[in-house]
Amino acid sequence: QKEVEQNSGPLSVPEGAIASLNCTYSDRGSQSFFWYRQYSGKSPELIMSIYSNGDKEDGRFTAQLNKASQYVSLLIRDSQPSDSATYLCAVNRGSTLGRLYFGRGTQLTVWP
Amino acid sequence: ETGVTQTPRHLVMGMTNKKSLKCEQHLGHNAMYWYKQSAKKPLELMFVYNFKEQTENNSVPSRFSPECPNSSHLFLHLHTLQPEDSALYLCASSLDRGQSGELFFGEGSRLTVL
């Protein structure tokens, strides 16, 4: 079973729409959760972190965590073409300090 | 100056060559990491250094040899690699190992093994 699973996409949304990116994880003891954005040919960049159940909002981005369902999501409101990138979900299991598990990423395309 | 700098950005080597990748961070962080990124695969953690000490080796073959002379510099020495080792090698840093989810990545070194 994969540690962190994401739909690889591609996910395609029109400009101005809400993009919804989903991630599930296998270890129920996981404690911290992250979303990274990776533009084509570039390195990953941290955009959101979430540690407790519920929603966390930062500008147009909202991270949602449901530990009971082992589910993390990222919502991008008012999507822009500049949001087109691959979004990586990462989970820190907590059992091994410092071990971060990444999903394969979801490719998002926002078309004008 | 960018936070995490990697050199070279591109490297082509034969299976019998010896080369090294270099990483330098200017963020005052104490933990540094090597990750491997291959097509269609998740980022794979290779090595972790915390305050210059190696704290994790994720079952990486011995043809990859890391070196961390101080908290700002990290090397990955390569020798007798295989074509399947071709990938993007990413260096990252974090404040310390306890903040390992909040990584700052370098731009990566694209390695091609012929």
Side-chain angles (χ1 to χ4, degrees), chain A residues 16-19 37 39 48 56-63 74-84 87 108 110:
Chain A
I18 296 175
R37 177 177 61 199
Y39 291 115
M48 287 287 283
K56 178 181 177 183
E57 187 175 317
D58 183 1
R60 296 185 296 110
F61 298 93
T62 298
L74 179 70
L75 301 179
I76 306 175
R77 290 184 301 283
D78 187 24
S79 295
Q80 302 296 309
S82 58
D83 294 325
S84 299
Y87 290 80
L108 171 67
V110 181

Side-chain angles (χ1 to χ4, degrees), chain B residues 12-61:
Chain B
V12 179
M13 58 188 290
M15 290 191 285
T16 58
N17 292 159
K18 287 185 180 182
K19 297 286 184 183
S20 295
L21 306 181
K22 178 183 175 182
C23 177
E24 183 174 0
Q25 58 95 1
H26 305 277
L27 300 169
H29 288 169
N30 295 304
M32 295 188 77
Y33 310 76
W34 281 115
Y35 277 88
K36 176 182 178 182
Q37 189 170 40
S38 306
K40 310 290 186 184
K41 289 185 177 181
L43 274 168
E44 297 174 57
L45 178 64
M46 299 176 72
F47 301 103
V48 182
Y49 278 83
N50 199 39
F51 292 92
K52 303 190 303 177
E53 300 298 320
Q54 186 180 124
T55 56
E56 189 151 357
N57 175 337
N58 192 21
S59 303
V60 180

Side-chain angles (χ1 to χ4, degrees), chain A residues 38-75:
Chain A
Q38 187 172 21
Y39 291 115
S40 180
K42 298 293 186 182
S43 58
E45 171 193 18
L46 179 66
I47 56 172
M48 287 287 283
S49 58
I50 187 166
Y51 302 94
S52 54
N53 279 330
D55 294 1
K56 178 181 177 183
E57 187 175 317
D58 183 1
R60 296 185 296 110
F61 298 93
T62 298
Q64 300 176 315
L65 174 61
N66 183 329
K67 289 187 178 180
S69 301
Q70 296 173 239
Y71 177 90
V72 191
S73 66
L74 179 70
L75 301 179

